[in-house]
Amino acid sequence: MSSKKSILNIFLVTNPMVAIVAYEYIHEQSFKDDEVQIIFTHGFSSKLFSDMKVKSSYRGIFEKIGDRFSIRFLSYSAVTRRLVESQKNPFIVYSAWLDGISSEIIKSNLCEGHIYMEEGDLTYKNFPLFSSSPSYKSIPRHKIGFHEATDYWRDDGLLWIGISEKSFPPVPDDKKYKIKSFENVKKKYSPFLMEYKNILLMPTPARLPKNEWKNAIVKLAESSNQPFALKLHPAFSYSPSVIKYFTKSLVDLGFSESIVCNKETIIELEMMLDKKNLVGDRSSLSRYAEVFGSTFTEVPFLYGSFY
């Protein structure tokens, strides 16, 4: 008679703050190696989890076709669900909010429940929990706009994991878990910017035409001392050609002592290890700069549409 399989804790890791929260929670709960599966989505990855089981769900050409033409089997959500179910284990899924991917995953017969993790400014919005009733009908986001939609956290979530008492305002206290410390992740992370106090944050390329990239560096540098480290927005590809472009731009603009951050640089963790002066467009980093004892100077960019 085969023994019952243990619950697998599957963490959908989408950005640096989710990675930090997931890493600390895993260690605070003393999960065993075979009880955890990390799945990177939306192009994010991190070496923080180098000692754990890691998979990545990529949104390639076929997934984009599936999403564009509503071919469910090919959709990014369906592909990620199959990746999760390939573990053939009952599981609890951890995500930042109930987006298309996690909404698909929790439909699985193997899913025993879902848990939410802090991921940025969204965590501090007072959006009401939406109903888990089968009769509940949400309004599609494309009809009312991303920031007007409030269906982020469903009321049957098992737990909400944050770093502050202010995290997840609408959630009852008995459903919240506050990360106790960041000691585990600080030990794991090797800082890249100990010699740089000033960090400039490039806006998303979705709001900034390429012919304005150099001007953006100059605009940010006007509010910062030198030398500085330039952190590219996650929407930049971090390809060798992109890194080469920005490295050359710093030299061309007279900032030869400044550097471009590599992809593994996590600003939140850099601030935990050393106080920094951040300069950039509106961002959840302004909140975390205050939490971690650093400063943030906002420099607005109005190119393109707001995200």
Side-chain angles (χ1 to χ4, degrees):
M1 189 176 189
S2 61
S3 59
K4 183 179 179 181
K5 289 186 177 181
S6 60
I7 298 292
L8 185 62
N9 297 277
I10 295 182
F11 293 81
L12 304 180
V13 180
T14 55
N15 72 20
M17 183 50 67
V18 173
I20 292 167
V21 170
Y23 190 91
E24 276 300 336
Y25 185 75
I26 289 167
H27 285 80
E28 289 183 10
Q29 298 302 305
S30 299
F31 287 143
K32 298 176 182 177
D33 290 346
D34 61 357
E35 295 177 327
V36 173
Q37 174 68 65
I38 305 298
I39 296 182
F40 295 131
T41 65
H42 296 92
F44 181 78
S45 65
S46 173
K47 293 181 180 177
L48 280 179
F49 304 96
S50 59
D51 298 328
M52 302 182 194
K53 292 188 297 182
V54 172
K55 293 180 181 291
S56 293
S57 178
Y58 298 103
R59 187 170 180 259
I61 182 65
F62 293 110
E63 289 78 17
K64 291 177 181 177
I65 291 173
D67 292 340
R68 175 66 178 84
F69 296 102
S70 300
I71 306 172
R72 185 174 177 277
F73 180 79
L74 290 178
S75 71
Y76 189 35
S77 298
V79 169
T80 308
R81 173 178 171 175
R82 289 196 294 274
L83 178 63
V84 170
E85 291 178 327
S86 69
Q87 310 295 309
K88 302 187 185 303
N89 257 87
F91 63 83
I92 292 173
V93 64
Y94 298 67
S95 64
W97 55 284
L98 217 57
D99 62 359
I101 291 176
S102 49
S103 295
E104 179 68 27
I105 290 172
I106 65 173
K107 297 175 185 175
S108 172
N109 291 332
L110 292 171
C111 184
E112 300 284 334
H114 64 284
I115 289 174
Y116 298 100
M117 299 177 289
E118 178 157 340
E119 61 98 46
D121 274 342
L122 176 64
T123 305
Y124 297 86
K125 301 293 186 182
N126 197 18
F127 294 136
L129 308 185
F130 69 96
S131 174
S132 54
S133 169
S135 62
Y136 178 76
K137 300 294 183 183
S138 63
I139 302 175
R141 291 176 188 275
H142 69 272
K143 290 187 177 181
I144 60 176
F146 184 85
H147 290 289
E148 286 73 34
T150 59
D151 290 357
Y152 292 104
W153 312 303
R154 207 167 74 179
D155 61 7
D156 59 344
L158 301 177
L159 196 67
W160 279 256
I161 307 169
I163 71 166
S164 164
E165 288 82 1
K166 296 180 181 179
S167 304
F168 302 109
V171 178
D173 288 343
D174 63 351
K175 284 291 192 79
K176 292 183 183 182
Y177 178 94
K178 180 177 176 292
I179 294 295
K180 295 179 174 62
S181 79
F182 299 101
E183 292 309 308
N184 293 296
V185 72
K186 284 161 66 175
K187 290 177 183 176
K188 174 67 175 180
Y189 182 74
S190 297
F192 299 95
L193 305 180
M194 294 302 288
E195 298 180 6
Y196 295 87
K197 297 290 185 183
N198 307 297
I199 303 174
L200 308 189
L201 308 172
M202 277 294 291
T204 170
R207 296 179 63 191
L208 194 67
K210 187 172 182 179
N211 60 5
E212 290 290 339
W213 288 3
K214 282 189 177 181
N215 291 337
I217 297 173
V218 173
K219 184 175 181 179
L220 291 168
E222 289 173 350
S223 298
S224 175
N225 294 322
Q226 300 177 43
F228 54 77
L230 180 68
K231 182 70 169 77
L232 303 185
H233 188 277
F236 284 99
S237 66
Y238 277 95
S239 66
S241 61
V242 170
I243 297 298
K244 182 178 179 180
Y245 171 87
F246 280 102
T247 301
K248 184 177 184 301
S249 295
L250 291 179
V251 175
D252 293 344
L253 294 169
F255 304 129
S256 57
E257 295 183 2
S258 298
I259 63 167
V260 179
C261 298
N262 64 39
K263 188 177 182 180
E264 288 298 321
T265 303
I266 297 179
I267 302 301
E268 292 88 343
L269 285 171
E270 297 286 345
M271 291 191 292
M272 289 184 198
L273 296 166
D274 185 40
K275 292 183 179 180
K276 304 296 184 185
N277 304 310
L278 274 57
V279 177
D281 203 353
R282 61 195 179 103
S283 163
S284 60
L285 281 171
S286 60
R287 178 185 301 279
Y288 295 123
E290 181 179 357
V291 171
F292 302 135
S294 293
T295 64
F296 188 97
T297 301
E298 182 176 345
V299 176
F301 285 82
L302 301 177
Y303 303 104
S305 58
F306 289 98
Y307 56 94

